[in-house]
Amino acid sequence: MRIIIAARLSQLSDGQTGLETQTRQAEHWAQSNGHTVVAVVADRKSGTVPPWERPNLRQWVTDQDKIALYDAVVAYRFDRLSRGDKQSTNAIEKWAHDHGKSLLTEDGLIFPSEGTDGIRWDLAARLAHQYWLETSERYQRMQSYLRGNDFLVGRPVYGYRVVPVEGTNHKTLDIDPVTGPIVVAMAER
């Protein structure tokens, strides 16, 4: 079978190897199962974003010439394909059905599927979305705490710099001695 490998990370951080390890595992799986890898497509995007809204995967699922080049989309795990809600998963499944494509994971999930395989597919979709709901709640709670205690959430605007808050592991903003006066001069003009 001709496949494309869809790798995904939500965020990049120093030393992270997620895209490389997802790709390596999926390529090894493809080779072991006699599949031909047509392309490896990696994106840094939220798991709730459908394939046609990912910067690199978009062309592979919307351009008819590219769609004709493969038979299946393979992700390392279901959550690398989607962490979206049931409506989002249904839309991805409809895309696969409408284009005659299979959706596969390195750990053995397959769509279209029925019976036990269908149950496994549906359960993986719901567990992936539940994980996203839980991490989103924790992240929002953390941001609320930081804002409520005057700690930095996000990135500094021009004219400010990030500084540590003494006695904590948190950060706040301070006027940047280099760019701050530029902002003051702009305001005075």
Side-chain angles (χ1 to χ4, degrees):
M1 186 179 314
R2 302 167 305 158
I3 66 168
I4 61 170
I5 296 172
R8 183 195 62 76
L9 282 181
S10 297
Q11 299 177 15
L12 291 177
S13 60
D14 291 341
Q16 194 172 45
T17 60
L19 290 174
E20 293 84 4
T21 57
Q22 288 175 46
T23 299
R24 185 175 42 229
Q25 289 293 110
E27 286 175 328
H28 176 73
W29 172 87
Q31 182 181 18
S32 297
N33 287 282
H35 301 304
T36 301
V37 177
V38 173
V40 174
V41 188
D43 282 299
R44 185 182 74 77
K45 200 71 174 167
S46 169
T48 59
V49 173
W52 44 88
E53 292 180 18
R54 293 187 195 174
N56 299 320
L57 187 54
R58 176 183 302 121
Q59 64 181 332
W60 286 94
V61 297
T62 59
D63 179 325
Q64 294 303 319
D65 291 334
K66 288 199 181 287
I67 291 172
L69 297 175
Y70 63 92
D71 306 303
V73 177
V74 176
Y76 172 64
R77 295 288 185 264
F78 189 94
D79 68 345
R80 303 297 91 193
L81 180 63
S82 177
R83 281 192 173 154
D85 60 14
K86 186 63 177 161
Q87 182 178 355
S88 175
T89 302
N90 287 346
I92 295 168
E93 292 169 352
K94 181 178 181 339
W95 172 90
H97 178 268
D98 290 351
H99 291 88
K101 304 300 178 194
S102 295
L103 304 171
L104 310 168
T105 64
E106 182 270 347
D107 62 346
L109 297 176
I110 184 169
F111 178 87
S113 55
E114 297 294 332
T116 304
D117 287 338
I119 293 169
R120 288 184 63 230
W121 177 266
D122 291 342
L123 181 60
R126 291 184 183 276
L127 289 172
H129 184 61
Q130 181 62 34
Y131 181 80
W132 180 84
L133 291 172
E134 291 168 0
T135 56
S136 294
E137 185 274 331
R138 285 193 300 267
Y139 190 69
Q140 290 171 1
R141 189 168 22 97
M142 178 264 307
Q143 285 186 328
S144 178
Y145 170 82
L146 292 174
R147 283 188 187 102
N149 288 283
D150 295 324
F151 297 131
L152 176 65
V153 175
R155 296 183 181 154
V157 296
Y158 187 79
Y160 287 86
R161 65 181 177 168
V162 177
V163 294
V165 176
E166 194 171 321
T168 74
N169 290 327
H170 302 295
K171 299 171 184 169
T172 192
L173 295 176
D174 192 21
I175 295 173
D176 187 299
V178 175
T179 59
I182 297 169
V183 173
V184 171
M186 289 176 5
E188 288 174 349
R189 286 189 185 173

